[in-house]
Structure formats: structure tokens, C-alpha cells
Amino acid sequence: MKVVTENINSAKRTEWLKRIMEIRNTECVEGDEICLSFGDISVDSIAPEHIVSLACLVEFLDRKNISVALDSNTECGEYFFTELNMKEYWINRQDYFPARNDTILNLWHVKGEQIEEHARRITDYLKNRYLKNKDLSAVTNSLHEAYYNISDHAKAEANAFSMISFNKKTEVLNVAVCDFGIGIARSVRDFDPSIDDDKIALKKAAEAKFTVRSAEHNAGMGLYNIRCVCTEDDCLWIISNSAALRLTSTNERATDLGFDFNGSLLTYSVSLSHFIDEETLEDFNWSLEE
């Protein structure tokens, strides 16, 4: 058995994800232990996308019987361990465990048969706690689409995690879903071998009515529907294999990552303040006349 310390020193999206992949591909074997240390990264720079990709890494190593420890002497390590209770997911095998902060809808280990139940749980929580009069059906639908995309396309074999945070002041919801499956881009390219570029593959995946027909309920509107929920400064990022795609309601931009992200990360923001209020019916006194 050997103990290896792996450092993650930047919260910048591409640098964080690249480092996650490097540790994923480590030469450690069964029985070894990896200690993850986070240097001087501040908790303020950590978003749901960091946490779901980290969770996928820990799950991946755990399945290889490689022990993982989080360096609690770092600010982030303490946050993951204490505030988010990440130990519960692997020590006690929990699929969901509450965070201490009620604006963080903590990690959920994505399970296909629980998708609709969990999406409803999220929107019910937001409505009962913060947004009593808002119609949040679009949020529910976007979560369905994000989770089903991971479940259907990525073939992640349950190595997928979701996390959501809500900013009470701005009323912005931040959603991230990550898996270490084959990747959305590869799934598209396997379906259509004429596509030889991951950037093109991601653009194709985001088109309305495009589907790889991976599941009966898949009508090809998943990523397109998530994009349509985004308003103003909101955006959807799709990161998969060697490419990244940024989508707003009106624009799209695809770039090369410069490394291979073996899986998929969907992360998007939704400004809920723009959502309409639910219609309410006034009380009427009804009478039947003969």
C-alpha cells in the first residue's frame, strides 16, 4: 500500500477539470490511498460544478478500492468534509445527505429510477422555502432533462452526481450534473460516425429534436429545453470528451478543451426572478339554478 498526495491548486474551470482527470488516471492500485489537497483555493470560488466533478472522482477511485482522504487542513477540504458532509456518501453509502447551508441542495448520487422524484423534491423545496408564488415547472422540466441526458447518453453506470445552489439575493439557481461515462460527444459520434469532431458533436446534441434514441422517453429535446430556460445572462455549459460548448438563449460557442474529459459535465444557471407568478383563481360563490 502506498499513500499519495494529489494537489488541486486552481478553481478555474478548465484547470480544475484537467486536474480531476489527471488524478482519475493515476497509477494507484487497489489498497492504495490518495489524499486530495486543495492549496489556497477559497470556498467562495467553489461552485456546484467543482463539487460534482470531485464527487465523480472519489466515486471512481472508491470503485477501484482506492481510499480517498480530503485534506481538512485546507479551507476547501474542511468545507467538503464538514459543511457538505461528503464523508456520508462513501463511509455510510448515502445517495443524498443534507448540507448545513439551506441554500445548498447537496450532492445527489443520480439514480435513474429516482429522477422525477428528486426533481420534484428540489422544486417543492424552493417553492415552500423561497418562491411560494412562482411557477417553477420549467425548473422541474430542466432537471428532468439534465438527469435523463446523463442517465441515457453517458452510460455512466450510476457514477453520476448532481448538486444545486440557490442565491437568495439574486434568485439565481445554479445546477451542475456530472458523470464519468462515455461522454455526450462520444455518444453522438458513435451514433453518427460521419461526425469526427467533439465540438460538432456537442452542437449536434444541443439541436432541437436530435436524439441518439438511447431510451424510449428520449425525444431529442433535452439539452435544447434546458437552453430555453436560460434568460438574459444565464447560460448552459456542456463539457464532454475534448470539447466545451457554451449556450445562451441566442448564441453558442464551442471550444477545444486541450485535454480529454472522460465523461460529461452539464452546468447551467437560471434566473428565477423572471419566472411568472402562478395563476390564482378568485373564490366564487357558485349556485345552481333550476
Side-chain angles (χ1 to χ4, degrees):
M1 169 183 163
K2 65 180 179 181
V3 179
V4 177
T5 297
E6 297 284 1
N7 297 302
I8 303 177
N9 295 316
S10 175
K12 291 182 179 179
R13 177 180 287 136
T14 54
E15 294 178 18
W16 175 279
L17 295 178
K18 181 179 180 180
R19 192 73 187 102
I20 290 287
M21 285 296 109
E22 290 171 348
I23 298 170
R24 177 189 186 275
N25 297 325
T26 182
E27 295 181 356
C28 288
V29 298
E30 182 176 346
D32 289 346
E33 178 178 312
I34 291 179
C35 178
L36 299 177
S37 187
F38 304 93
D40 296 326
I41 297 176
S42 70
V43 169
D44 290 341
S45 63
I46 295 296
E49 64 190 73
H50 298 95
I51 297 161
V52 292
S53 54
L54 176 65
C56 284
L57 172 64
V58 176
E59 175 73 9
F60 178 85
L61 296 172
D62 183 72
R63 291 184 182 193
K64 295 177 67 176
N65 292 317
I66 297 172
S67 299
V68 180
L70 303 179
D71 183 358
S72 59
N73 291 319
T74 61
E75 182 181 344
C76 281
E78 174 67 16
Y79 173 69
F80 298 144
F81 190 83
T82 303
E83 297 296 321
L84 302 185
N85 296 300
M86 286 185 71
K87 62 183 183 298
E88 296 292 335
Y89 293 83
W90 291 278
I91 295 176
N92 295 321
R93 300 294 169 182
Q94 299 288 322
D95 289 332
Y96 179 82
F97 199 86
R100 292 190 177 186
N101 184 334
D102 66 1
T103 62
I104 295 174
L105 299 159
N106 208 10
L107 278 170
W108 174 50
H109 197 175
V110 177
K111 300 292 179 66
E113 69 277 6
Q114 299 173 13
I115 283 174
E116 296 191 13
E117 176 186 352
H118 186 74
R120 185 170 57 253
R121 183 186 302 128
I122 295 297
T123 49
D124 285 349
Y125 177 85
L126 290 169
K127 177 175 286 293
N128 294 334
R129 190 92 180 185
Y130 301 112
L131 301 159
K132 296 183 185 299
N133 298 320
K134 293 292 185 182
D135 179 358
L136 299 182
S137 56
V139 172
T140 306
N141 292 336
S142 76
L143 292 173
H144 287 168
E145 304 293 5
Y147 296 152
Y148 277 126
N149 258 281
I150 292 296
S151 179
D152 293 348
H153 297 282
K155 302 177 182 177
E157 299 179 356
N159 187 359
F161 286 87
S162 161
M163 186 170 177
I164 298 167
S165 66
F166 177 67
N167 188 312
K168 291 186 288 188
K169 292 183 178 180
T170 62
E171 294 190 347
V172 172
L173 193 72
N174 296 294
V175 179
V177 190
C178 185
D179 75 86
F180 276 8
I182 67 169
I184 292 174
R186 178 180 164 188
S187 176
V188 171
R189 292 179 64 180
D190 286 349
F191 176 75
D192 183 354
S194 69
I195 298 176
D196 61 0
D197 184 282
D198 286 345
K199 297 191 299 298
I200 297 174
L202 291 186
K203 288 182 179 180
K204 176 62 70 173
E207 289 180 1
K209 298 184 179 181
F210 173 79
T211 174
V212 297
R213 294 192 287 273
S214 56
E216 183 178 348
H217 60 259
N218 182 359
M221 298 297 287
L223 297 175
Y224 178 80
N225 282 343
I226 298 173
R227 179 183 186 177
C228 290
V229 173
C230 298
T231 61
E232 292 191 353
D233 295 330
D234 302 337
C235 69
L236 163 66
W237 279 91
I238 310 169
I239 297 170
S240 180
N241 303 111
S242 65
L245 178 65
R246 182 183 185 274
L247 298 164
T248 66
S249 57
T250 57
N251 296 298
E252 65 179 31
R253 176 169 56 87
T255 57
D256 287 311
L257 278 179
F259 63 94
D260 194 359
F261 185 77
N262 301 125
S264 301
L265 170 64
L266 304 180
T267 181
Y268 63 98
S269 58
V270 183
S271 299
L272 301 184
S273 60
H274 300 292
F275 281 33
I276 63 172
D277 291 340
E278 288 183 320
E279 293 183 7
T280 57
L281 296 176
E282 296 181 6
D283 292 332
F284 289 92
N285 292 320
W286 296 92
S287 62
L288 294 176
E289 297 181 0
E290 295 183 0

